[in-house]
Amino acid sequence: MGFILPQYVEPDFGETPLRDSPVVTFAEVGQAGVAPVNYHSTTIFPEYFQVQPREWVLLKESRMDAVVVLEPDGSLSAREFRHLRVGDQVACGRGEHGEEGIYVHTEAFGAAPRAGEKFVFRTRITRETAFSIDYDELYQLLEYERTEGFILWVLGPAAVFDHDSRQALVEIVTGGYAHALLAGNALATHDLEGALFGTALGQELYSKRPVPLGHYRHMDTINQIRAVGGIEPAIAAGLIRDGVMHALVQNRIPFVLAGSIRDDGPLPEVIVDMERAQDAMRAHARRATTVIALATQLHSIATGNMLPSYQVMANGSVRPVFFYIVDMTEFAVDKLANRGSLSAHSILTNVQDFLVTLERGLRRRCH
Amino acid sequence: MGFILPQYVEPDFGETPLRDSPVVTFAEVGQAGVAPVNYHSTTIFPEYFQVQPREWVLLKESRMDAVVVLEPDGSLSAREFRHLRVGDQVACGRGEHGEEGIYVHTEAFGAAPRAGEKFVFRTRITRETAFSIDYDELYQLLEYERTEGFILWVLGPAAVFDHDSRQALVEIVTGGYAHALLAGNALATHDLEGALFGTALGQELYSKRPVPLGHYRHMDTINQIRAVGGIEPAIAAGLIRDGVMHALVQNRIPFVLAGSIRDDGPLPEVIVDMERAQDAMRAHARRATTVIALATQLHSIATGNMLPSYQVMANGSVRPVFFYIVDMTEFAVDKLANRGSLSAHSILTNVQDFLVTLERGLRRRCH
Amino acid sequence: MGFILPQYVEPDFGETPLRDSPVVTFAEVGQAGVAPVNYHSTTIFPEYFQVQPREWVLLKESRMDAVVVLEPDGSLSAREFRHLRVGDQVACGRGEHGEEGIYVHTEAFGAAPRAGEKFVFRTRITRETAFSIDYDELYQLLEYERTEGFILWVLGPAAVFDHDSRQALVEIVTGGYAHALLAGNALATHDLEGALFGTALGQELYSKRPVPLGHYRHMDTINQIRAVGGIEPAIAAGLIRDGVMHALVQNRIPFVLAGSIRDDGPLPEVIVDMERAQDAMRAHARRATTVIALATQLHSIATGNMLPSYQVMANGSVRPVFFYIVDMTEFAVDKLANRGSLSAHSILTNVQDFLVTLERGLRRRCH
Amino acid sequence: MGFILPQYVEPDFGETPLRDSPVVTFAEVGQAGVAPVNYHSTTIFPEYFQVQPREWVLLKESRMDAVVVLEPDGSLSAREFRHLRVGDQVACGRGEHGEEGIYVHTEAFGAAPRAGEKFVFRTRITRETAFSIDYDELYQLLEYERTEGFILWVLGPAAVFDHDSRQALVEIVTGGYAHALLAGNALATHDLEGALFGTALGQELYSKRPVPLGHYRHMDTINQIRAVGGIEPAIAAGLIRDGVMHALVQNRIPFVLAGSIRDDGPLPEVIVDMERAQDAMRAHARRATTVIALATQLHSIATGNMLPSYQVMANGSVRPVFFYIVDMTEFAVDKLANRGSLSAHSILTNVQDFLVTLERGLRRRCH
C-alpha cells in the first residue's frame, strides 16, 4: 500500500467569527531591519490574511517568527526582520482567530486525536517507543516524495563516521531520495577525509584503527581541498572518488554547508556569513515537503525555525510538511518541541543504524 | 509566606451522571492471587465506589494497578494481586465515570490550566527549565510537612558518593525533614564505607584520590557489618559514627533497604524477598504526603507504582501527595510519565547539587 | 572469513617474581556468611593460586567480588559471602603479583594496544563511534558461539515493545543464537501481552494506537498467566502462540526472570528471592562465553558483577568471554566501566534497531 | 588555604634526544590560506621549535590545529589556515619528540598519576562522580584568577533561563570573577527579554507562568534592541536595567556574541561572519587562564579548539590554563575529549545549580 497525502481542511470563512473579521492592517517599516509596533509574527501553521473584504490570502513559503510583508504585486511573503526595508508594508495584529483579520489555522490536516480515558500509558515518545511503523511509513513517504515532493536532508557529522552508514547515505542520494542537503563543515570534512585517506578524524573508517599521525588527517583534508579551490574542483580532478559529497555533486544535488565558530579551515564551499547561510538554507526550506534531520541539534533547530508545517504546491493545493528528527536523546526532541515545532516526528536511535535500516528498507521496496 | 495546601474538590454525586449510577458489584476471588474477570484496577487518582445507593466510599491508602477489596468491616482496600485470598470480594467494572458505580476523580485539586493560545513555547520540562521557584516551593512544602505530613525519601547511591551531599542529607534527616527512607543495598553500603574508611567504592570521599586496594573497601564494609549482625549493631558498637544510616538510626527514622540482583553481600537489613520488600515499602507509601526520589530509576518507579496522588488524613480531609523526582535525564522523567505517574514534579539536575542547595535553603529559612 | 578465538597467554611461573612466590594461605570461616580477615577478593581476570609449591591452580567459573574457597576435593571455587559456611577454607592475601601466592593475570589475551603518539582523537566510545565493524564481528562471533560456546542474553523490556525487534528476537532464538536468557518480569509481561492482546502497555504493538482501557492489558496478562499457573502452562494450553517467551519454551532455552521491587504481579516464574535469583543467573553466567546485554542497567550490571572475563573450557583451554552492552547512553557504559567491567564492548544505539540489524546480518550470512 | 599554581617543568634540551635534534625547517606559503606540504600542526600542549642551534623557542598564545608561522621579528605564532598569506614561513615536520626540531611537551605540569593496581573502580567521570572538591578548588582558583589571571566565561542560553542563576551570574560579573564572556544571540536575547519583560521565551522568569502572547516576547526584544541600535545604546537609554548583559556593560567586561544559523534577528552586536567571530573569540582565548564553559556544546567545542593548555605570562613564566566544562551529559564531556581537549575538568550537573552554588561559595569566602 502506498502513501496517501492527508487532506487539507480549508477554514470556513463564511462562518462566524471569520465572516465578521475586519480587514488586516499594514504598517510601514520606518527603519531598515526593524518591524513596526504590533507587527504580526508568524507560526509554523497556515496563516490567512484578509487583505480585502472577503479575500483571505494564504501565506506561502512561510516560516515561524517572521513578519508578513505585502509585496508590490499583492502577494504576501514571510520575511525575517533583517530583510525588512524602509517602506515595506507589514501586517499588524496579534490575534490569531480573525479578530484583526489574521487567522492561524492549527487544525489544517485534522485535529490530533485525543484519548477519552483518564489514565493512559505511554503518551511520551522516548527511546522505548516502538518505531517499526515509523520506518515503514517513512519508506512509503520517501518513495512518494522522491518524484512528487522535495526531500531535504539535514545532517550532523556522525552520519559519515561509520562505514556502512556513509555508504547507505550514498545509496540514498544516488537512489533519488535527496533533493537537497544542509550540513556543516564537519560533515563534509569527515566525508572527504574518508575519500582521501579512508579515515575519519584519524581512525580508519571501518576498522577504527587509529593511524599514525591521524590527527593530521582532517587538517590535511581541508588543506588539500582549499588548495584545489573546493569540493567540486577536487572531484573534477579525481581527488575525491567516493562518499556523500561525491554522490551529491555527481547527481547534481544542491547542498548548503553553513559555517560555525567550531569550524577548522573551513572548506571553500562553507558559507561563513550566517545571514547568507540562513538565506541559502531557507531557499531549500521554502520548497521542502519532507525534512530528515539527523544527529545535529544546531542544524535541526535552525531548519525547524525556518520550516512551515505546510506547503502550497504549484497547483494551489496545500499539503503538510513532514519533519523527522532522529537523535539519541529525549532532550533534543523536547527542545525542538519547546521551540514550537510541534509537528516533528521523532525517532530516538543512533543515526548510523537509522541510515542503514532506512536504505535497506527503501531498496527492498524497489525490487 | 508559608505553604498552603490545595483545596480538595469533592465530586458532586447529586448531579448527573453520578446521581444515576448503579451500585458497584463485587465478585468473589476463586483462586488465591488471581482476580475475577472484569476486576477494576486502580489509578493514582481518588476513586469512589457506590457500595450502597447514595453511599459513595472513597478508597483510602490507594495505589495504581491494584484491585479493590471489600473488607469484612465494610471498608475498601487497594490490594495487590498477590494478596488476594479465596473468598475476597473484589470490585468489578472498568468504566470510570460512574457507569458501573465507580468514579475516578481526576480533577480533585483543580484542573490543569490550559493555555488558550495556539502557539506556545516551553511546554516540556527539560534541563533548561527554570527551577528557582521549585526550590522555593519545596522549602515551604518541607517545612509544612515536617510537622503536618510524612516525608518519604527514595535514594539512589549517588546521593552519598559526595562529601557535601552526604553531609547535607545528614542535616536534612537530623532537622526532621525525613520520616522514612527507601533505598537499596548500595546506598547503605557506600554510606557505611564512608563511615568506616572515609571512602566510597575505594575513592576518598572528598579528595577522590583512589586508595591502595580500594576495590576491597566496599566488600570489607559489607563483611564487617555482616560480622556484627547489621547496621544498628554496628552503630551501637561504635563502629559507625557518621553518615546517613547513622543519622537515621540515631533519630529513629525507619528505613527500608530493598534488595536487587545487583547487590553484593548484602547487608543484613536488606530485604531479599521482593514481595516482602514491596510490602515494607508500601507501608511507608501508604502514609507519604511528600515523596522525594533522587537518582534512582528502579526505586523511583517502584515507589511511583505504589503511590496514590492523594491521602485521606486522620480527620477525613483529603490532600494531595507531592512527588518530586530529581534526575539527570528527560528519559527518567518521561518514563515515569509513561507509567501513568503524571503528577510528579521533575527537577533535572545532579542530586548532589540538589541536596546541597536544598539543605542550605531549609537552613536559611529556619533562622 | 570466520571468527578466530584469541590465544590465551599462560603466565610464566618459572620466572621471577612468580618463581619465588610463597604458597597461598587459607583461613577458616568462623561465622557463616562472613569472610575471615584479609580474605582475597576476586576480579574479572584469570587468577592463579599456588596451593602447593610449583602448583598454581587457575580459578574456574570465577566472578568479581567473590572469595575463593578450597573445596574438599582440592579444587577452588569463587563463592559469594552469603554462601560461606563455617569451616570453609578461604584464600587470603591481597597482593596481586604473586607476593602472597596469588597471581591476577590481567593480560591473558594480550595487552591492549597503546598509541605511541601524544595527541590522539576519538579515544572514547560514544554515540558517534563507528559500529559497522562491531556488527560484522558480532555476526561472526555468534555464528561461532552458536555451536562452540554459550550465548547469554540479558534483556530490558524495550526489546519487545516494538513489532520488528520482538520478531527479530524470536528469529534469533529460533536460529540457535541464544543458550539462555536473563530478564525481569516486565520483559516477559510485555511480550505475553503482545501474544494475548497484540499490545504492549496498552498500545497496539505495530500501529502504536492506544486501545480502549489499554492500561488494563498488562494487569490482565499477569492475571491470566497467574490463573493458569505460569508461562509454560499458558503455552501448553494454547493461550500464548507467539513471541519471545513462546520461542524460548518451544526451543527449550532456559530463562531466568529475576524479580524486582518494580514488578506488578509478578508472573509465577519470577524469582522473588534475590539470592535465589542471583544463584539462578550465575548458573548461566558460569557457562557464558558471550553475553549480550540490551537496554537494562539493572540486569546488565548484575550480570557484569557475576561474569568473569574468561572461561576454562571442558578440554582445559582458556578462552575470553565477550560482553556486549547495547544502550542509548554513555553513562550506562561508563557506569559499567566504573564497576571494573573493563572488558565490555559497547554499542550505543536503540536496541530495537540493534536487534533488527543483528538478525538481518545473521540471516544473510547463513544463506 | 589558597590556590597554588602548579610548577612548570621545563624540558631538558641538554639531554638526548633533544640535544641531538636538528633545527626546524620552514617552508614558504605559495597560495593564500593553504599550508605547504608537511606543515606542522599544533596541539594543546606547549611546543618548542629549535629555530637556531641550541635555541628552542616556546610557542606563545597557541591553539590546536594551527600552523606555526615565523614572524618577521623572529617570534613564532600559531595561525589558522585562513590567515596564511603568500610568503609566510611555516614550520614543517610532524615528529613530536625533537626529530625534526619540534618538541611537544605533554608533561609540562607533571605527569598524570597512575594507579599501580590492576583493578580499580571509578576511573571515569560521570554524573555519579563526587564534585565537592571541584567546587572548593574552583572557589580558590577563581579568587586567585580574579586578580592574577583572566577568567573567560562561555555560556549557553540555559544560564539565564532561571531567576536565581541569572542573578548569580550578575553577582559573579559584578564581583570581578569574569574578564570576558563568549556566547551567542540566544543568551543575550533571553537575558534582555528578562530585563524588558520579566520573561524568557514567554514564561515569567521566576513563576514560569506562560504570559499571553508570550511567543512574541523574544521577537519584540530583538526588534526593540535593533531599533535603538544595540545592547549598549539600550542600556544607555535606560531600556535595560538588569541582567547579565547589563552587568557586563556596566562593568566594562568585553563580550563576544557569535552568530549561528539558529539565530533570530540577530541582535546588532552579534558577529555574523564566522571568521570574524572566531578571531574575536580567540582574542580572549589567547589571554585566558581559566575558562568556564556552561551548557553549550557549540561554544565549548569552539573555545576548546582555540585554547592551549598553557599560557606564557608577561614575566615569561609558564602556567596551565584551567578549562571547566559543566554539562548534563557524559557525551558532551566525552566529545570534547575525543577532540583532543584532554585537559578539561568536567562537572556534570545543571548549570543553574552550578551557578547558584558557585556564587554562594565565592561570596562566603569573601566574608
Side-chain angles (χ1 to χ4, degrees), chain A residues 47-290:
Chain A
E47 302 195 359
Y48 287 85
F49 298 80
Q50 190 171 216
V51 292
Q52 302 292 340
R54 306 275 171 250
E55 186 188 343
W56 290 86
V57 175
L58 171 60
L59 184 64
K60 294 181 188 180
E61 300 185 353
S62 187
R63 58 156 293 168
M64 78 177 197
D65 290 340
V67 290
V68 177
V69 174
L70 182 65
E71 302 291 352
D73 67 359
S75 70
L76 299 175
S77 64
R79 198 88 74 76
E80 291 87 357
F81 285 82
R82 66 180 190 273
H83 287 308
L84 292 177
R85 290 174 305 244
V86 173
D88 278 342
Q89 296 295 316
V90 164
C92 288
R94 296 180 170 191
E96 301 175 329
H97 306 85
E99 57 276 61
E100 291 162 288
I102 300 171
Y103 181 67
V104 178
H105 188 29
T106 49
E107 303 189 346
F109 301 100
R114 286 254 157 192
E117 282 164 73
K118 297 179 170 187
F119 200 64
V120 181
F121 288 157
R122 303 182 73 186
T123 55
R124 306 252 184 113
I125 291 174
T126 74
R127 59 196 67 179
E128 295 187 346
T129 300
F131 295 114
S132 289
I133 192 174
D134 298 276
Y135 277 108
D136 289 343
E137 286 177 352
L138 192 53
Y139 304 148
Q140 290 178 12
L141 174 64
L142 293 189
E143 214 172 295
Y144 175 87
E145 298 286 50
R146 185 176 178 277
T147 52
E148 305 304 315
F150 188 95
I151 307 170
L152 179 60
W153 289 79
V154 182
L155 295 184
V160 296
F161 270 147
D162 176 68
H163 176 271
D164 289 356
S165 67
R166 179 169 177 261
Q167 198 50 41
L169 248 175
V170 168
E171 299 295 336
I172 286 165
V173 169
T174 309
Y177 299 101
H179 297 103
L181 180 143
L182 310 180
N185 189 53
L187 182 280
T189 300
H190 298 325
D191 178 62
L192 297 167
E193 182 187 331
L196 277 173
F197 300 112
T199 57
L201 277 178
Q203 275 189 357
E204 286 182 14
L205 261 180
Y206 178 69
S207 74
K208 293 191 277 188
R209 267 189 295 267
V211 300
L213 294 170
H215 70 276
Y216 272 94
R217 293 289 172 85
H218 83 284
M219 298 311 294
D220 283 350
T221 300
I222 290 170
N223 201 45
Q224 288 193 25
I225 302 292
R226 287 172 70 96
V228 299
I231 299 169
E232 230 168 305
I235 290 170
L239 203 59
I240 302 297
R241 295 165 188 271
D242 63 46
V244 176
M245 300 314 296
H246 180 264
L248 292 171
V249 171
Q250 294 301 95
N251 291 280
R252 301 177 188 282
I253 311 297
F255 58 87
V256 176
L257 301 180
S260 91
I261 50 173
R262 212 168 39 193
D263 294 346
D264 292 311
L267 295 169
E269 278 86 352
V270 170
I271 306 176
V272 296
D273 182 290
M274 291 300 93
E275 302 191 349
R276 285 214 310 113
Q278 288 180 324
D279 290 348
M281 293 171 72
R282 193 174 166 212
H284 298 300
R286 282 175 193 277
R287 301 177 59 198
T289 55
T290 286

Side-chain angles (χ1 to χ4, degrees), chain B residues 134 136 162 206 208 349 353, chain D residues 132 134 136 206 208 349 353:
Chain B
D134 298 275
D136 289 344
D162 175 68
Y206 179 71
K208 295 192 277 188
T349 191
D353 280 331
Chain D
S132 289
D134 299 276
D136 289 344
Y206 179 71
K208 295 191 278 188
T349 192
D353 280 331

